[in-house]
Amino acid sequence: MSYALVDRLKAQYMAEPKWYSLRWHYIEGCILKAYLDSYALTGDEAEYAFVKGFIDGLYDEEGRIPAIDPANYNIDQIRMATVLFALYDKERDPKYKQVLDLLYKQLAVYPRTGAGSFWHKQNYPYQVWLDGLYMGQPFYALYIKCFAGGKDYSDPLAQFRNARRFLFDESKRLYRHAYDESRHMFWSDPATGYSPHVWGRGAGWYAMALVDMLEILEGEPVDSDFLKQYLQELVDGMLPHQHSEGMWYQVVDQGARAGNYLETSGTLMLAYAILKGARLSYLPQTYAAYGQKAFDGTVSRYLCEEGGEVLLGGICRSAGLGRKPETGELRDGTYEYYVFGEKIVENNGHGVAPLLMAYNEIRRLKP
């Protein structure tokens, strides 16, 4: 398969700011990670300059990033900081380290469930979402690896154990999107705390968290083999629901239900995790074919050119649970919400970032 359109989308995204926002946000953090990974693979200084220029543009005259509020407990704001490890390693500019220190200190007082997991957000108390594992734990582990006095990874690893304990539905062999320890949320099952459905991108976030954590912990004095077991279990649970084209549905285990659709972002996150997992031997080498099929199926169905622009479609713009604090909009976690309640958009970073991350893994496989 030709990936010329993927290469063009990559160049287009870097060259034209209209495709993203100049902000401290996890979506942009994922985009920047894709370019940093590509830079590590190719040495293309333009990609590094794009990342550095983006981050530097967020600082004010006093060397701070105003968008970061340490009094706001929101696990999403942690994700972007993973980019700063690479910048600090190369530049040794203290302004990068200051932000890393600030957010690491916040984790020491971050509110937790009774079992010890970070709340997803201050306004979502006692809730753990699959998204949050990717937003917070790789940063946590990287900081310990690079800067902490001791190599104690017990806390982040315990939070992965909690995710397996409280979010994995044994009857389905799949992960639910979220869990409410308090059972107070209207979407929470009173017996299990589960949210109602298996969301494709939720599974994708968690798969990426597992494979990236395993890479971070390579050679560290810690037993992380159970994360490999979790990754294997997650992928094995998802494979029976992989469409013949290679993609996964928005609501994973209800593919035949009216309105459900093959969704880009979750599929590509799983493609990235499977390809990387196979490359690094966290998964059997044969599993790379499943990741390749997912990537190729998405490109075939949803990547196209219109009016001189490359567009990636089939992306769920956003999804969550509860009530949006800024708008009051209700996100009730029903099937109807996931398939009809959120817009399907083009070139949103939720889809473009994992497209590029998975593409980096494919390029690693090619001679």
Side-chain angles (χ1 to χ4, degrees), residues 153-168:
Y153 296 99
S154 58
D155 188 14
L157 290 177
Q159 297 196 48
F160 277 95
R161 289 191 174 94
N162 283 344
R164 171 60 177 79
R165 177 183 173 191
F166 296 116
L167 286 156
F168 187 71

Side-chain angles (χ1 to χ4, degrees), residues 210-272:
L210 286 167
V211 76
D212 285 1
M213 278 290 292
L214 282 163
E215 183 182 39
I216 290 165
L217 296 177
E218 285 280 358
E220 292 298 289
V222 63
D223 181 4
S224 59
D225 282 350
F226 75 95
L227 295 179
K228 297 178 186 177
Q229 297 169 12
Y230 290 177
L231 179 64
Q232 180 84 55
E233 180 179 62
L234 168 63
V235 174
D236 285 347
M238 294 292 291
L239 287 178
H241 303 284
Q242 189 174 24
H243 189 268
S244 59
E245 293 181 20
M247 297 187 71
W248 280 274
Y249 280 94
Q250 166 79 337
V251 180
V252 170
D253 58 337
Q254 300 193 35
R257 194 166 170 182
N260 209 358
Y261 62 96
L262 296 171
E263 200 279 326
T264 293
S265 65
T267 295
L268 291 172
M269 289 176 182
L270 287 160
Y272 164 77

Side-chain angles (χ1 to χ4, degrees), residues 157-208:
L157 290 177
Q159 297 196 48
F160 277 95
R161 289 191 174 94
N162 283 344
R164 171 60 177 79
R165 177 183 173 191
F166 296 116
L167 286 156
F168 187 71
D169 184 338
E170 295 280 0
S171 66
K172 292 177 176 287
R173 306 302 295 171
L174 295 167
Y175 279 84
R176 299 294 186 114
H177 182 183
Y179 161 79
D180 174 24
E181 183 181 68
S182 73
R183 312 293 201 273
H184 288 161
M185 288 300 293
F186 55 86
W187 52 255
S188 173
D189 184 285
T192 65
Y194 289 155
S195 62
H197 289 290
V198 178
W199 179 41
R201 188 153 79 219
W205 286 126
Y206 188 56
M208 294 200 302

Side-chain angles (χ1 to χ4, degrees), residues 56-356:
D56 286 353
L58 300 177
Y59 282 85
D60 64 15
E61 297 80 5
E62 298 179 3
R64 300 176 301 182
I65 297 179
I68 299 175
D69 180 3
N72 178 27
Y73 297 107
N74 179 345
I75 204 69
D76 286 347
Q77 78 170 343
I78 305 294
R79 177 66 225 175
M80 182 71 143
T82 56
V83 175
L84 272 63
F85 288 98
L87 297 181
Y88 181 72
D89 185 59
K90 186 176 176 68
E91 306 289 337
R92 293 296 160 176
D93 188 328
K95 72 182 180 185
Y96 302 132
K97 179 67 160 48
Q98 287 168 6
V99 172
L100 295 173
D101 291 344
L102 177 68
L103 291 173
Y104 180 71
K105 289 176 182 176
Q106 187 196 47
L107 295 183
V109 294
Y110 199 98
R112 295 172 181 255
T113 66
S117 293
F118 296 141
W119 292 1
H120 191 66
K121 294 181 182 179
Q122 193 167 353
N123 57 304
Y124 297 139
Y126 299 101
Q127 297 173 40
V128 178
W129 299 10
L130 288 175
D131 324 18
L133 276 295
Y134 186 69
M135 301 305 163
Q137 302 307 323
F139 168 84
Y140 197 0
L142 270 171
Y143 192 97
I144 293 169
K145 182 176 183 176
C146 295
F147 304 120
K151 299 284 188 175
D152 184 1
Y153 296 99
S154 58
D155 188 14
L157 290 177
Q159 297 196 48
F160 277 95
R161 289 191 174 94
N162 283 344
R164 171 60 177 79
R165 177 183 173 191
F166 296 116
L167 286 156
F168 187 71
D169 184 338
E170 295 280 0
S171 66
K172 292 177 176 287
R173 306 302 295 171
L174 295 167
Y175 279 84
R176 299 294 186 114
H177 182 183
Y179 161 79
D180 174 24
E181 183 181 68
S182 73
R183 312 293 201 273
H184 288 161
M185 288 300 293
F186 55 86
W187 52 255
S188 173
D189 184 285
T192 65
Y194 289 155
S195 62
H197 289 290
V198 178
W199 179 41
R201 188 153 79 219
W205 286 126
Y206 188 56
M208 294 200 302
L210 286 167
V211 76
D212 285 1
M213 278 290 292
L214 282 163
E215 183 182 39
I216 290 165
L217 296 177
E218 285 280 358
E220 292 298 289
V222 63
D223 181 4
S224 59
D225 282 350
F226 75 95
L227 295 179
K228 297 178 186 177
Q229 297 169 12
Y230 290 177
L231 179 64
Q232 180 84 55
E233 180 179 62
L234 168 63
V235 174
D236 285 347
M238 294 292 291
L239 287 178
H241 303 284
Q242 189 174 24
H243 189 268
S244 59
E245 293 181 20
M247 297 187 71
W248 280 274
Y249 280 94
Q250 166 79 337
V251 180
V252 170
D253 58 337
Q254 300 193 35
R257 194 166 170 182
N260 209 358
Y261 62 96
L262 296 171
E263 200 279 326
T264 293
S265 65
T267 295
L268 291 172
M269 289 176 182
L270 287 160
Y272 164 77
I274 293 169
L275 288 162
K276 184 172 180 176
R279 173 173 65 85
L280 296 175
S281 299
Y282 309 145
L283 293 169
Q285 298 296 311
T286 54
Y287 277 50
Y290 299 120
Q292 183 81 57
K293 184 178 181 180
F295 185 86
D296 289 345
T298 308
V299 168
S300 294
R301 175 176 277 263
Y302 283 127
L303 192 65
C304 65
E305 181 182 5
E306 292 183 8
E309 293 180 337
V310 182
L311 302 175
L312 178 67
I315 306 167
C316 172
R317 183 184 63 177
S318 179
L321 295 162
R323 196 176 293 276
K324 288 185 178 180
E326 62 274 16
T327 65
E329 176 188 349
L330 186 67
R331 302 185 293 183
D332 61 8
T334 61
Y335 176 84
E336 289 73 21
Y337 163 71
Y338 281 111
V339 299
F340 302 118
E342 294 288 357
K343 290 183 180 179
I344 304 171
V345 296
E346 296 174 326
N347 278 18
N348 179 280
H350 284 109
V352 173
L355 175 85
L356 300 182

